[in-house]
Amino acid sequence: MTATPIRTLPAALDTGMAMVAPALRDTVQHYLCPEMERVAQYHHGWADADGRPTGAWGGKLVRPALALLSARAAGSAPSAGVPAAVAMELVHNFSLLHDDIMDGDTARRGRATAWTLFGVPKAILAGDALLTAATAVLLDSDGAGARSAAVSLMTSTQRMISGQVSDVDFERRDDVTLAECLKMAGDKTGALLSCASSLGADLVGADPMLVGRLGAFGEHVGLAFQLVDDLLGIWGEPERTGKQVGADLRARKKSLPVVKALNAPGSDELAALYFDAEPLTEQQVARVTRLVELAGARDWAEDEAARQIASAQRCLDTAGIEDEVRDDFLEIAAFITGRRF
Amino acid sequence: MTATPIRTLPAALDTGMAMVAPALRDTVQHYLCPEMERVAQYHHGWADADGRPTGAWGGKLVRPALALLSARAAGSAPSAGVPAAVAMELVHNFSLLHDDIMDGDTARRGRATAWTLFGVPKAILAGDALLTAATAVLLDSDGAGARSAAVSLMTSTQRMISGQVSDVDFERRDDVTLAECLKMAGDKTGALLSCASSLGADLVGADPMLVGRLGAFGEHVGLAFQLVDDLLGIWGEPERTGKQVGADLRARKKSLPVVKALNAPGSDELAALYFDAEPLTEQQVARVTRLVELAGARDWAEDEAARQIASAQRCLDTAGIEDEVRDDFLEIAAFITGRRF
């Protein structure tokens, strides 16, 4: 399979990986006790369950790459943003470790999840240790804005937690409004991408106006990403993303297009199918898909994603940053949303 | 039942409660989303599971009281230590929320644990939210040493996590050394009491020498507390502490006296009983108790607790603090260890 051009790995991700990966490993070794380091190494993909190096890496380090770019946006060398980049990836992985326990997921990135190998207690503690290390690496750095950056990270983490709680609550509710669903997506996905896109600038002590613009860029990218992800969860693109057609419907996820359709006039048939206790048949999945589309929710989600992308772009255009940095930001945004900027 | 004089509630705990309790509630409300606030309120004991006020309080706020004292030790008003006091209690409760899940405990302080009422996901997230809020409340304060204090809190939290991991590991090991066990106790109990005893001073920007002395005081008190707690877990004092005679032995806990005895010469009979897979009979519990005593481990633990208490006292004597503050510190130390200082 040849990747479509838009999904070509952005150069900024390569740069980020080269700069952040060693720092991330050093940070985990420095702050965590040996047994927690072992769990973290496994979870990140660097090591197998016995601590043997895999020579591989778990994620694409999207958030760290954004953090490095935000240091560049503030006129600093990308290296000045490394502690911010490391902190972002640590918080991201703290949330994944705990998420996998909460959701009972047994696989991530094609490997067994940490809790299935090390037990729930150690996976909880490893998440706690990563969150703790994320704050410490910022505060121990020599960035002029370390304190402000750490506060920003905590605020975003608190929002992310709020989004996760809503996600848990939505599962047992059949009256979720679109406003609630948008807030949840902003908290769960937007908050951390907003933080990642501004944390490097914050850390080097940039003008709060610039930090704000970069944060708003990330917030919009996060919402666009969530909308696209939710579209893929219904209409899929298994050949490109691995997402199966209808996957989110079978799981009865309260995704944005579904909630939009449920709150549209004449949603009785959809609601009856979606809130039924029995598993959906393939015929019913097809009918639900059609009803969501007929309600205009597919078009709405596409349009809304485009609006978020346009807003994200405007944030950068008015941020007064170098063209090259701007283009790198947009390339990563295009990569994670699968949409042209 | 009349409390023995040594267990009279120290005045510093009353002061702490009056000053910290409202601040703690405000902090939880300020930083947590409403649903997380609900879990936190229940866990702290202020509210029932439906959010109705109980008019009660969960803990005695020992760590906050120490934090306020440490601000006074640095010559500041106790109120200057309030953010430190709040942060300590938040981290303490973060660890309790996660501990209860890890241990599968269904009751704490005579009430159902949070995870049994709100589910594991929300209890994990509530712990995460409290840890996040603890850092934020320090960094958002106007303390001159806020950054240093937050680093200290993260370092202690990392040590506490390390201690909890060792605790988990010890359960399935039969070769735990006394040195490992002492390190575990220091990490699990000493680290946070050390932090509590110095964080207020750290926050107001006190001389690092004073911060160090106060921290060392708390570390020794923590070890003394653990030794006394472990003695009570074997020989009990149900009428005073609620601890049942032999409780830790029935649970086959690798407590300090047991590990001391297991590592003494001629421990074969003890090891055979303790590492057997079957539950211990009451006769066997009595025999294990006798063997631990015969190995000299009871005397050792009593002596070691006394040594730690003497060391704690020396730390204060050389800290150059006011007599009144010193006496309040010692009163709390006596209260939590049940030993005269």
Side-chain angles (χ1 to χ4, degrees):
Chain A
M1 190 195 90
T2 314
T4 53
I6 205 165
R7 283 276 170 171
T8 304
L9 212 62
L13 285 186
D14 286 337
T15 316
M17 181 69 87
M19 201 169 260
V20 177
L24 193 51
R25 299 172 83 135
D26 287 350
T27 302
V28 165
Q29 186 178 29
H30 179 73
Y31 289 105
L32 273 61
C33 68
E35 185 56 19
M36 289 288 88
E37 188 189 358
R38 199 163 74 94
V39 179
Q41 285 180 333
Y42 172 81
H43 171 76
H44 280 93
W46 317 325
D48 67 15
D50 298 315
R52 284 183 298 252
T54 57
W57 195 271
K60 287 182 287 293
L61 302 192
V62 167
R63 289 159 195 81
L66 290 169
L68 296 188
L69 281 175
S70 77
R72 277 175 63 200
S76 295
S79 60
V82 167
V86 168
M88 288 312 311
E89 192 64 12
L90 291 173
V91 167
H92 178 53
N93 281 289
F94 134 72
S95 78
L96 297 182
L97 275 164
H98 285 186
D99 263 355
D100 287 340
I101 299 168
M102 295 190 282
D103 300 340
D105 284 338
T106 55
R108 168 172 301 279
R109 300 166 183 156
R111 303 162 81 224
T113 46
W115 70 268
T116 65
L117 293 177
F118 301 97
V120 167
K122 284 191 187 175
I124 291 179
L125 289 169
D128 298 342
L130 292 185
L131 174 58
T132 304
T135 313
V137 77
L138 282 179
L139 293 173
D140 281 335
S141 79
D142 51 12
R147 187 167 163 177
S148 164
V151 169
S152 166
L153 188 67
M154 292 303 98
T155 306
S156 305
T157 302
Q158 208 65 261
R159 278 188 64 200
M160 180 180 69
I161 291 169
S162 169
Q164 290 170 307
V165 174
S166 298
D167 209 13
V168 170
D169 276 337
F170 285 5
E171 274 179 37
R172 53 160 190 77
R173 284 180 50 194
D174 57 11
D175 60 349
V176 177
T177 67
L178 186 60
E180 287 178 314
C181 201
L182 283 165
K183 181 179 184 306
M184 190 274 276
D187 286 344
K188 204 177 140 181
T189 312
L192 223 57
L193 280 171
S194 170
C195 189
S197 303
S198 58
L199 198 69
D202 211 351
L203 182 63
V204 301
D207 181 347
M209 183 79 89
L210 172 62
V211 174
R213 289 269 154 77
L214 297 175
F217 160 79
E219 185 86 31
H220 289 300
V221 171
L223 273 175
F225 167 78
Q226 195 57 61
L227 286 155
V228 170
D229 200 55
D230 285 357
L231 284 164
L232 292 172
I234 301 175
W235 291 277
E237 275 192 50
E239 73 290 345
R240 210 193 68 188
T241 64
K243 277 240 174 190
Q244 295 306 308
V245 176
D248 283 358
L249 300 181
R250 273 178 221 104
R252 286 195 165 86
K253 249 189 83 174
K254 307 282 193 327
S255 69
L256 284 160
V258 171
V259 171
K260 173 75 181 173
L262 283 167
N263 284 284
S267 63
D268 296 356
E269 185 188 350
L270 176 62
L273 282 166
Y274 219 61
F275 299 136
D276 191 79
E278 295 297 305
L280 291 171
T281 65
E282 281 313 294
Q283 208 177 354
Q284 287 172 321
V285 169
R287 181 65 187 157
V288 166
T289 307
R290 185 80 189 118
L291 289 170
V292 172
E293 198 155 357
L294 284 172
R298 183 179 192 170
D299 289 343
W300 167 82
E302 289 285 3
D303 293 349
E304 186 59 34
R307 276 192 294 274
Q308 294 295 337
I309 283 166
S311 299
Q313 194 151 351
R314 264 199 310 277
C315 289
L316 288 190
D317 290 341
T318 56
I321 61 177
E322 283 181 18
D323 285 352
E324 202 188 322
V325 178
R326 177 183 166 279
D327 292 347
D328 278 352
F329 264 126
L330 294 179
E331 205 185 353
I332 293 185
F335 174 73
I336 61 180
T337 61
R339 294 293 187 274
R340 292 201 182 280
F341 271 71
Chain B
M1 190 194 89
T2 313
T4 53
I6 205 164
R7 284 275 170 171
T8 303
L9 213 61
L13 285 186
D14 287 336
T15 316
M17 181 69 85
M19 200 169 258
V20 177
L24 192 52
R25 299 171 84 136
D26 288 351
T27 302
V28 165
Q29 185 178 29
H30 179 73
Y31 289 105
L32 273 58
C33 68
E35 185 55 20
M36 289 288 87
E37 189 190 357
R38 200 163 72 93
V39 180
Q41 285 179 334
Y42 172 81
H43 170 77
H44 281 94
W46 317 325
D48 67 15
D50 298 315
R52 283 184 299 253
T54 57
W57 195 271
K60 286 182 288 294
L61 302 191
V62 167
R63 289 159 195 79
L66 290 169
L68 296 189
L69 281 176
S70 77
R72 277 176 64 200
S76 295
S79 60
V82 166
V86 168
M88 287 312 311
E89 192 63 11
L90 291 173
V91 167
H92 178 54
N93 282 288
F94 134 72
S95 79
L96 296 183
L97 275 164
H98 284 187
D99 262 356
D100 286 340
I101 299 167
M102 295 190 282
D103 299 341
D105 285 337
T106 55
R108 167 172 302 279
R109 299 166 184 157
R111 303 162 81 224
T113 47
W115 70 267
T116 65
L117 292 177
F118 301 98
V120 167
K122 285 191 187 175
I124 291 179
L125 290 169
D128 298 343
L130 292 185
L131 174 58
T132 304
T135 313
V137 77
L138 282 179
L139 294 173
D140 280 335
S141 79
D142 51 12
R147 186 167 163 176
S148 164
V151 169
S152 166
L153 188 67
M154 293 303 98
T155 306
S156 305
T157 302
Q158 209 66 261
R159 276 187 65 201
M160 180 179 69
I161 291 168
S162 169
Q164 289 169 308
V165 174
S166 299
D167 208 13
V168 170
D169 276 337
F170 286 4
E171 274 179 35
R172 52 160 192 75
R173 284 180 50 194
D174 57 10
D175 60 349
V176 177
T177 66
L178 185 61
E180 286 178 313
C181 202
L182 282 166
K183 181 179 183 307
M184 190 274 275
D187 286 344
K188 207 178 140 182
T189 312
L192 224 56
L193 280 172
S194 169
C195 190
S197 303
S198 58
L199 198 69
D202 211 351
L203 181 63
V204 301
D207 181 348
M209 183 78 89
L210 173 62
V211 175
R213 289 269 154 78
L214 297 175
F217 160 79
E219 186 86 31
H220 289 301
V221 172
L223 274 175
F225 168 77
Q226 196 56 62
L227 286 156
V228 169
D229 201 54
D230 285 357
L231 284 163
L232 292 172
I234 301 175
W235 290 279
E237 275 192 50
E239 74 289 348
R240 210 192 67 188
T241 65
K243 277 242 174 188
Q244 294 306 309
V245 175
D248 283 359
L249 300 181
R250 273 177 222 104
R252 285 196 166 86
K253 252 190 80 176
K254 307 283 193 326
S255 68
L256 284 159
V258 171
V259 171
K260 173 73 181 176
L262 282 167
N263 283 282
S267 64
D268 296 357
E269 185 189 350
L270 176 62
L273 282 167
Y274 219 61
F275 299 137
D276 191 79
E278 295 296 306
L280 292 171
T281 64
E282 282 311 294
Q283 206 176 357
Q284 286 172 323
V285 169
R287 182 64 187 156
V288 165
T289 307
R290 185 82 190 118
L291 288 170
V292 172
E293 198 156 354
L294 284 172
R298 184 178 193 171
D299 289 342
W300 168 81
E302 289 284 3
D303 292 349
E304 187 59 33
R307 275 192 294 274
Q308 294 295 336
I309 283 166
S311 299
Q313 193 151 353
R314 263 197 310 278
C315 289
L316 288 192
D317 290 341
T318 55
I321 61 178
E322 283 181 19
D323 285 353
E324 202 189 321
V325 178
R326 176 183 166 280
D327 292 347
D328 278 352
F329 264 126
L330 294 179
E331 204 185 353
I332 293 186
F335 174 72
I336 61 180
T337 61
R339 295 292 187 273
R340 294 200 179 278
F341 271 72

PDB file of all heavy atoms in Angstrom, chain A residues 3-16:
ATOM      1  N   ALA A   3       1.147   5.126   0.808  1.00  0.00           N
ATOM      2  CA  ALA A   3       0.453   6.155   1.580  1.00  0.00           C
ATOM      3  C   ALA A   3       0.096   7.310   0.666  1.00  0.00           C
ATOM      4  O   ALA A   3       0.839   7.638  -0.249  1.00  0.00           O
ATOM      5  CB  ALA A   3       1.338   6.655   2.713  1.00  0.00           C
ATOM      6  N   THR A   4      -1.077   7.898   0.888  1.00  0.00           N
ATOM      7  CA  THR A   4      -1.419   9.099   0.118  1.00  0.00           C
ATOM      8  C   THR A   4      -0.473  10.218   0.552  1.00  0.00           C
ATOM      9  O   THR A   4      -0.023  10.237   1.688  1.00  0.00           O
ATOM     10  CB  THR A   4      -2.879   9.511   0.386  1.00  0.00           C
ATOM     11  OG1 THR A   4      -3.050   9.625   1.788  1.00  0.00           O
ATOM     12  CG2 THR A   4      -3.837   8.485  -0.157  1.00  0.00           C
ATOM     13  N   PRO A   5      -0.182  11.158  -0.377  1.00  0.00           N
ATOM     14  CA  PRO A   5       0.801  12.200  -0.075  1.00  0.00           C
ATOM     15  C   PRO A   5       0.538  12.927   1.244  1.00  0.00           C
ATOM     16  O   PRO A   5       1.441  13.206   1.999  1.00  0.00           O
ATOM     17  CB  PRO A   5       0.661  13.166  -1.260  1.00  0.00           C
ATOM     18  CG  PRO A   5       0.105  12.340  -2.367  1.00  0.00           C
ATOM     19  CD  PRO A   5      -0.743  11.299  -1.722  1.00  0.00           C
ATOM     20  N   ILE A   6      -0.753  13.164   1.509  1.00  0.00           N
ATOM     21  CA  ILE A   6      -1.083  13.951   2.687  1.00  0.00           C
ATOM     22  C   ILE A   6      -0.679  13.253   3.982  1.00  0.00           C
ATOM     23  O   ILE A   6      -0.514  13.884   5.024  1.00  0.00           O
ATOM     24  CB  ILE A   6      -2.595  14.291   2.686  1.00  0.00           C
ATOM     25  CG1 ILE A   6      -2.832  15.567   3.491  1.00  0.00           C
ATOM     26  CG2 ILE A   6      -3.432  13.150   3.221  1.00  0.00           C
ATOM     27  CD1 ILE A   6      -4.188  16.176   3.259  1.00  0.00           C
ATOM     28  N   ARG A   7      -0.499  11.943   3.924  1.00  0.00           N
ATOM     29  CA  ARG A   7      -0.120  11.199   5.115  1.00  0.00           C
ATOM     30  C   ARG A   7       1.382  10.934   5.182  1.00  0.00           C
ATOM     31  O   ARG A   7       1.837  10.176   6.024  1.00  0.00           O
ATOM     32  CB  ARG A   7      -0.884   9.869   5.178  1.00  0.00           C
ATOM     33  CG  ARG A   7      -2.326  10.010   5.631  1.00  0.00           C
ATOM     34  CD  ARG A   7      -2.440  10.047   7.144  1.00  0.00           C
ATOM     35  NE  ARG A   7      -3.793  10.413   7.545  1.00  0.00           N
ATOM     36  CZ  ARG A   7      -4.249  10.358   8.792  1.00  0.00           C
ATOM     37  NH1 ARG A   7      -3.471   9.943   9.751  1.00  0.00           N
ATOM     38  NH2 ARG A   7      -5.467  10.727   9.079  1.00  0.00           N
ATOM     39  N   THR A   8       2.143  11.530   4.269  1.00  0.00           N
ATOM     40  CA  THR A   8       3.588  11.393   4.363  1.00  0.00           C
ATOM     41  C   THR A   8       4.045  11.945   5.703  1.00  0.00           C
ATOM     42  O   THR A   8       3.549  12.975   6.144  1.00  0.00           O
ATOM     43  CB  THR A   8       4.276  12.194   3.234  1.00  0.00           C
ATOM     44  OG1 THR A   8       3.765  11.740   1.993  1.00  0.00           O
ATOM     45  CG2 THR A   8       5.779  12.003   3.276  1.00  0.00           C
ATOM     46  N   LEU A   9       4.957  11.250   6.357  1.00  0.00           N
ATOM     47  CA  LEU A   9       5.399  11.682   7.677  1.00  0.00           C
ATOM     48  C   LEU A   9       6.047  13.067   7.585  1.00  0.00           C
ATOM     49  O   LEU A   9       7.049  13.247   6.885  1.00  0.00           O
ATOM     50  CB  LEU A   9       6.395  10.665   8.238  1.00  0.00           C
ATOM     51  CG  LEU A   9       6.391  10.493   9.752  1.00  0.00           C
ATOM     52  CD1 LEU A   9       5.053   9.998  10.268  1.00  0.00           C
ATOM     53  CD2 LEU A   9       7.500   9.559  10.159  1.00  0.00           C
ATOM     54  N   PRO A  10       5.490  14.062   8.260  1.00  0.00           N
ATOM     55  CA  PRO A  10       6.068  15.404   8.194  1.00  0.00           C
ATOM     56  C   PRO A  10       7.506  15.404   8.717  1.00  0.00           C
ATOM     57  O   PRO A  10       7.834  14.674   9.651  1.00  0.00           O
ATOM     58  CB  PRO A  10       5.168  16.232   9.112  1.00  0.00           C
ATOM     59  CG  PRO A  10       3.901  15.458   9.235  1.00  0.00           C
ATOM     60  CD  PRO A  10       4.297  14.025   9.118  1.00  0.00           C
ATOM     61  N   ALA A  11       8.332  16.251   8.104  1.00  0.00           N
ATOM     62  CA  ALA A  11       9.739  16.336   8.503  1.00  0.00           C
ATOM     63  C   ALA A  11       9.875  16.707   9.972  1.00  0.00           C
ATOM     64  O   ALA A  11      10.783  16.231  10.669  1.00  0.00           O
ATOM     65  CB  ALA A  11      10.466  17.351   7.623  1.00  0.00           C
ATOM     66  N   ALA A  12       8.942  17.546  10.462  1.00  0.00           N
ATOM     67  CA  ALA A  12       9.026  17.985  11.861  1.00  0.00           C
ATOM     68  C   ALA A  12       8.876  16.817  12.833  1.00  0.00           C
ATOM     69  O   ALA A  12       9.360  16.870  13.964  1.00  0.00           O
ATOM     70  CB  ALA A  12       7.960  19.045  12.146  1.00  0.00           C
ATOM     71  N   LEU A  13       8.208  15.763  12.384  1.00  0.00           N
ATOM     72  CA  LEU A  13       8.083  14.588  13.253  1.00  0.00           C
ATOM     73  C   LEU A  13       9.416  13.847  13.353  1.00  0.00           C
ATOM     74  O   LEU A  13       9.773  13.346  14.420  1.00  0.00           O
ATOM     75  CB  LEU A  13       6.989  13.642  12.743  1.00  0.00           C
ATOM     76  CG  LEU A  13       5.547  14.071  12.989  1.00  0.00           C
ATOM     77  CD1 LEU A  13       4.580  12.966  12.556  1.00  0.00           C
ATOM     78  CD2 LEU A  13       5.299  14.417  14.447  1.00  0.00           C
ATOM     79  N   ASP A  14      10.139  13.781  12.228  1.00  0.00           N
ATOM     80  CA  ASP A  14      11.466  13.156  12.260  1.00  0.00           C
ATOM     81  C   ASP A  14      12.405  13.925  13.183  1.00  0.00           C
ATOM     82  O   ASP A  14      13.112  13.343  14.005  1.00  0.00           O
ATOM     83  CB  ASP A  14      12.075  13.122  10.844  1.00  0.00           C
ATOM     84  CG  ASP A  14      11.398  12.074   9.978  1.00  0.00           C
ATOM     85  OD1 ASP A  14      10.827  11.130  10.554  1.00  0.00           O
ATOM     86  OD2 ASP A  14      11.437  12.217   8.745  1.00  0.00           O
ATOM     87  N   THR A  15      12.417  15.245  12.999  1.00  0.00           N
ATOM     88  CA  THR A  15      13.257  16.097  13.846  1.00  0.00           C
ATOM     89  C   THR A  15      12.904  15.896  15.317  1.00  0.00           C
ATOM     90  O   THR A  15      13.773  15.749  16.177  1.00  0.00           O
ATOM     91  CB  THR A  15      13.027  17.590  13.499  1.00  0.00           C
ATOM     92  OG1 THR A  15      12.998  17.712  12.076  1.00  0.00           O
ATOM     93  CG2 THR A  15      14.091  18.471  14.093  1.00  0.00           C
ATOM     94  N   GLY A  16      11.607  15.896  15.569  1.00  0.00           N
ATOM     95  CA  GLY A  16      11.138  15.727  16.944  1.00  0.00           C
ATOM     96  C   GLY A  16      11.605  14.410  17.524  1.00  0.00           C
ATOM     97  O   GLY A  16      12.128  14.360  18.639  1.00  0.00           O
TER      98      GLY A  16
END
